Amino acid sequence: MKDVYILGIESSCDETSASIVKNGQEEISTVILSQIDIHTLYGGVVPEIASRNHVKDVTFVIDKCLKDANMTMDQIDAVAVTYGPGLVGSLLVGLEAAKTISYVNNKPLIAVNHMAGHIYANNIERRMKFPLIALVISGGHTDLIYMEDHFKFKVIGSTLDDAVGECYDKVARVIGIGYPGGPLVDKLAHEGENTYNLPVPLNDDSFNFSFSGLKSAVINLYNTSKMKNIELNRANLCTSFQNVVVESLTSKTVKALKKYNVKNLILAGGVAANKGIRERFEEIFKGTDINFSYPNMKYCTDNATMIAAAGYFMYKDGIFSTLDINAKSGEILK
Ligand code: KG4
Ligand code: ZN
């Protein structure tokens, strides 16, 4: 089969990104413009500001990506774009850009689910082996997904309330360590000790998660101590918090692997960058026959490379979209 070059576009939250990927795995060029510095001023992503910045950046990002690859649209086989889930105003910018490019250049349009993109970040430097379980952990999602083969997603468990990344960001904001909270809490967690007794959430037989109780427990502990003028050790609090998160995620995942008799486990999403989670899984699976892997750090948080990588498998199966496709902020993986 001839080589296939997909142009991916991602704008679901606060990163504007374009990437060209060959045959679903070889990254040719990628451009990512992050708005973190802007949203840091507000302690979180402001949707209206995010959309406006995508509008400002999207053309530049796509042009630079083609230029860096030394390619023209004639050499691109299809345009893959995130259509959901995400912030609707942000999604619309990438989607409209992709539709325009697809129409003007007469290239197929591929609408990629953002979470499928996160999962396919695992196929960029390695090959995903099936059947597998994917633990998808991001700012908006905490899902356990069983995959029998490419693009066969079965969600077997989800968070009943907050997503794990959201919980990290909220805890970081309350205890005053900055935004985005995930990497900062992760770093501090490696400097402290497990000293605070926090509740382990939803310790049941399901594959679901719950993080709002844990989040509230950390916030209450912090606020109560502050009122009593007791100085809490933030590093120890981060370690204690992260230990509970890691325990919850790993115990449910291990149960899912057993129940589905699956030997392949992948991590996906921004929180897959978490060192504590990666280390604990590695410890658990050391010397076992479980094949555990996760994407390179740069493919964990939002990027268009993963969208182009996922889009390749849709291209191969001829799954294309028409120009009337709309952004779907609450889209689920199916
Ligand atoms: O996948 P992503 O870039 O955006 C969404 O699709 O949501 O994930 C962003 C989330 C944020 O909540 C961020 O705090 C979290 O991923 N995150 C981390 C780490 N790096 C990013 N959470 C925990 N530990 C990390 N090292
Ligand atoms: Zn994401």
Side-chain angles (χ1 to χ4, degrees), residues 13-14 35-47 49-50 53 179:
C13 190
D14 59 344
Q35 304 175 15
I36 282 185
D37 291 349
I38 300 166
H39 298 288
T40 297
L41 303 171
Y42 307 94
V45 177
V46 183
I49 295 177
N53 279 282
Y179 170 85

Side-chain angles (χ1 to χ4, degrees), residues 200-231:
V200 176
L202 210 64
N203 199 1
D204 63 3
D205 284 338
S206 76
F207 298 123
N208 293 326
F209 303 94
S210 166
F211 292 106
S212 76
L214 172 65
K215 177 187 73 183
S216 303
V218 175
I219 293 172
N220 288 343
L221 180 65
Y222 185 79
N223 287 341
T224 316
S225 306
K226 211 169 151 190
M227 266 167 15
K228 292 180 184 161
N229 268 333
I230 301 170
E231 178 115 12

Side-chain angles (χ1 to χ4, degrees), residues 27-153:
E27 181 183 12
I28 305 295
S29 74
T30 300
V31 180
I32 306 178
L33 280 193
S34 172
Q35 304 175 15
I36 282 185
D37 291 349
I38 300 166
H39 298 288
T40 297
L41 303 171
Y42 307 94
V45 177
V46 183
E48 179 62 24
I49 295 177
S51 323
R52 283 167 194 256
N53 279 282
H54 286 307
V55 171
K56 179 170 75 59
D57 294 334
V58 73
T59 314
F60 167 79
V61 161
I62 296 166
D63 280 349
K64 180 158 175 21
C65 179
L66 283 161
K67 211 168 164 188
D68 289 353
N70 203 13
M71 290 176 81
T72 64
M73 275 309 294
D74 293 345
Q75 295 159 281
I76 299 290
D77 295 283
V79 185
V81 62
T82 305
Y83 73 100
L87 301 170
V88 72
S90 292
L91 289 165
L92 279 169
V93 180
L95 190 57
E96 290 310 313
K99 285 184 191 179
T100 309
I101 292 172
S102 150
Y103 179 70
V104 170
N105 297 282
N106 200 20
K107 303 285 175 186
L109 178 70
I110 304 170
V112 178
N113 182 298
H114 182 74
M115 304 322 288
H118 274 304
I119 290 174
Y120 275 82
N122 283 279
N123 210 63
I124 299 169
E125 289 167 313
R126 290 178 205 90
R127 299 293 79 80
M128 281 152 67
K129 291 195 194 110
F130 300 97
L132 63 76
I133 297 271
L135 174 63
V136 184
I137 38 183
S138 72
H141 288 77
T142 307
D143 296 322
L144 272 169
I145 294 169
Y146 171 75
M147 286 179 77
E148 202 185 296
D149 205 342
H150 281 298
F151 271 84
K152 292 208 173 352
F153 308 106

